[in-house]
Amino acid sequence: MRIKTILYAEDEFTNRKIMEYQCERFGVECVLEADGLEALDRCRTGKYDLVVLDQYMPGLNGDEVAKELKAIRPDLPLVAITSDDGCVARLMESGFDAVYVKPLRSDDYKELLETYAK
Amino acid sequence: MMWRFCEEISPIFTYVNGIGAPPALSFVKMFLLSEFKKKYDTDIASLPTAPSVEIRLQPGIRNLRDGDERVLLELLVLAAEKLCRTRERYVLHLGGTDEELLAAFRRKGADEGDFAEIPPDLRGKIEALGGRTAGGEMRLPMPAAVDSPAVDLKSVVDRTGLSDDQVRSILKEFIADGKRNLAAVSGGGPLREPAERIRAAHSLKGSGKSMCAPELASAAAEVEEDLLNQADTEESISRLEGVWERVEKWYTDGAE
């Protein structure tokens, strides 16, 4: 069975590293980016089973990346991880399939990776 | 977190969620039921005026955060003190807007007349917990235990399911990143654009939450809010610097 690959865009090191370790636990490959614009560029050319985006990033914010991606790859699952629960409605309108609020628990990572990285 | 009072709308512990019911909600329900029984030595269902707590996540949110359980418990305790005398029901709404909440209750037959402002005595109790109120919205700070380590690595391990070694491997960069972000927030080094300072405070808040450093997260959140509101940051930055000093000391003392 092909190993799933996710792209995770997050400018904060700790969260990137935790996601990397979680992906190892659940047998998922993880590509990391720290900038929204660079994440978008990667998505245009790369093949990912799931894209997970932080909201506030250098380059482009997560909702801006999501809008662009939904226009070019409407089938691509998108999940947001944010510490700002006040922007959830905006994130859902941008095209995200789900939003998780930080900090995530072990079960949240498991659910996210097993549900959305199909 | 916002909440309102609502009469006769939903049965005990009804969960409304836009997309299914996350596992966290079941945990919260069991936690609240058991804590209520411990506190009052009685089952909620046996009370003469049946209380109701509706916990609603905004559509799209899939999880609860650390600290939410304690906040919910505090509010449930306050609710229980009132509910034994009245038929009021308390709605806890995690995230979302008033419009979404009203829309949800209109669908169940309520109208705006069923809602009331939070009574002054309860507002006072919430504020005594350290919450700040702005309009109808109350934000409660994440609790910091007395004499707790500046960074609670055990909690990070427990929460994330990662190994102790994996969590410790993150520490060095967490400290280095934190120093850089603090310098950006404080305005040290090259001249910083406001947006850069806000992002740095936001990053400190995020890493503080991820690494179970609640004081760091809370202090960084205050700075972020002051920067966003273009308020005076002298006090909040001073507090953040003090908290960061404690984090660095904890790290250099062996990170235990």
Side-chain angles (χ1 to χ4, degrees):
Chain A
M1 194 194 310
R2 183 176 72 84
I3 293 176
K4 305 296 182 190
T5 304
I6 76 162
L7 172 71
Y8 179 43
E10 157 71 71
D11 62 330
E12 204 277 305
F13 167 82
T14 306
N15 289 323
R16 282 202 308 273
K17 200 67 192 170
I18 290 175
M19 177 63 86
E20 191 176 38
Y21 282 141
Q22 296 291 357
C23 285
E24 273 176 32
R25 280 179 80 197
F26 297 110
V28 174
E29 265 188 33
C30 183
V31 173
L32 299 171
E33 274 295 345
D35 180 292
L37 198 52
E38 289 179 18
L40 181 59
D41 285 343
R42 269 199 190 261
C43 288
R44 288 188 209 277
T45 53
K47 284 199 172 196
Y48 302 101
D49 298 289
L50 166 66
V51 174
V52 182
L53 303 169
D54 182 25
Q55 169 55 6
Y56 297 111
M57 289 187 282
L60 282 178
N61 283 339
D63 58 339
E64 294 166 307
V65 175
K67 283 178 192 164
E68 296 280 337
L69 281 178
K70 273 300 169 189
I72 56 173
R73 292 283 310 277
D75 56 319
L76 179 60
L78 295 177
V79 169
I81 300 183
T82 180
S83 54
D84 181 4
D85 63 357
C87 70
V88 172
R90 185 167 86 243
L91 290 171
M92 294 302 289
E93 282 164 16
S94 303
F96 283 102
D97 298 285
V99 177
Y100 287 78
V101 287
K102 294 173 184 171
L104 274 66
R105 295 191 172 96
S106 177
D107 283 351
D108 299 325
Y109 286 103
K110 184 173 191 286
E111 183 193 69
L112 186 165
L113 293 171
E114 290 183 350
T115 303
Y116 297 101
K118 297 192 183 85
Chain B
M1 191 189 314
M2 303 194 302
W3 57 320
R4 293 286 185 272
F5 300 119
C6 184
E7 295 270 348
E8 303 285 359
I9 293 300
S10 57
I12 293 173
F13 293 115
T14 296
Y15 300 98
V16 176
N17 181 290
I19 308 174
L25 282 181
S26 300
F27 166 77
V28 171
K29 175 181 174 178
M30 296 313 299
F31 175 81
L32 289 174
L33 284 171
S34 72
E35 289 298 316
F36 187 91
K37 190 171 170 69
K38 271 193 267 183
K39 172 91 177 173
Y40 294 98
D41 195 27
T42 189
D43 289 318
I44 287 180
S46 70
L47 290 178
T49 51
S52 167
V53 175
E54 175 163 325
I55 302 168
R56 179 177 184 267
L57 294 186
Q58 186 176 189
I61 292 185
R62 295 291 301 179
N63 65 325
L64 293 175
R65 293 166 296 178
D66 291 347
D68 282 344
E69 292 90 344
R70 176 179 176 270
V71 170
L72 288 169
L73 175 63
E74 298 280 3
L75 290 170
L76 179 65
V77 167
L78 291 174
E81 287 168 357
K82 288 279 276 188
L83 288 166
C84 291
R85 300 191 302 274
T86 72
R87 292 183 62 76
E88 287 177 289
R89 294 177 181 226
Y90 288 65
V91 176
L92 305 179
H93 182 60
L94 302 177
T97 64
D98 283 357
E99 288 72 31
E100 285 171 320
L101 182 60
L102 284 173
F105 281 100
R106 278 192 196 103
R107 284 194 290 273
K108 291 196 174 186
D111 61 38
E112 286 187 43
D114 291 326
F115 290 82
E117 286 300 313
I118 299 167
D121 58 339
L122 274 177
R123 186 182 287 272
K125 284 183 182 177
I126 294 290
E127 287 174 351
L129 289 173
R132 293 182 287 182
T133 62
E137 185 172 316
M138 298 192 171
R139 292 195 178 276
L140 292 168
M142 285 187 63
V146 175
D147 293 334
S148 59
V151 179
D152 187 350
L153 291 185
K154 185 180 180 306
S155 291
V156 181
V157 169
D158 288 345
R159 194 191 71 230
T160 61
L162 300 179
S163 71
D164 189 69
D165 285 345
Q166 284 174 319
V167 171
R168 284 182 182 277
S169 76
I170 298 173
L171 269 183
K172 189 175 170 186
E173 192 59 35
F174 161 69
I175 296 292
D177 229 28
K179 276 185 189 167
R180 282 191 292 270
N181 282 321
L182 183 62
V185 164
S186 305
L191 190 64
R192 302 285 179 175
E193 291 290 331
E196 211 176 319
R197 296 178 75 196
I198 291 168
R199 192 180 302 121
H202 186 79
S203 282
L204 275 168
K205 179 177 79 176
S207 63
K209 287 184 182 181
S210 296
M211 294 300 285
C212 293
E215 277 194 281
L216 174 63
S218 169
E222 276 186 36
V223 173
E224 184 188 12
E225 195 169 325
D226 285 345
L227 286 167
L228 284 167
N229 295 331
Q230 297 181 324
D232 182 12
T233 56
E234 189 179 340
E235 202 176 303
S236 54
I237 287 180
S238 174
R239 181 180 165 228
L240 177 60
E241 287 170 341
V243 169
W244 182 255
E245 211 175 290
R246 191 165 163 248
V247 169
E248 281 202 282
K249 184 175 186 308
W250 165 86
Y251 179 67
T252 53
D253 284 352
E256 293 300 335

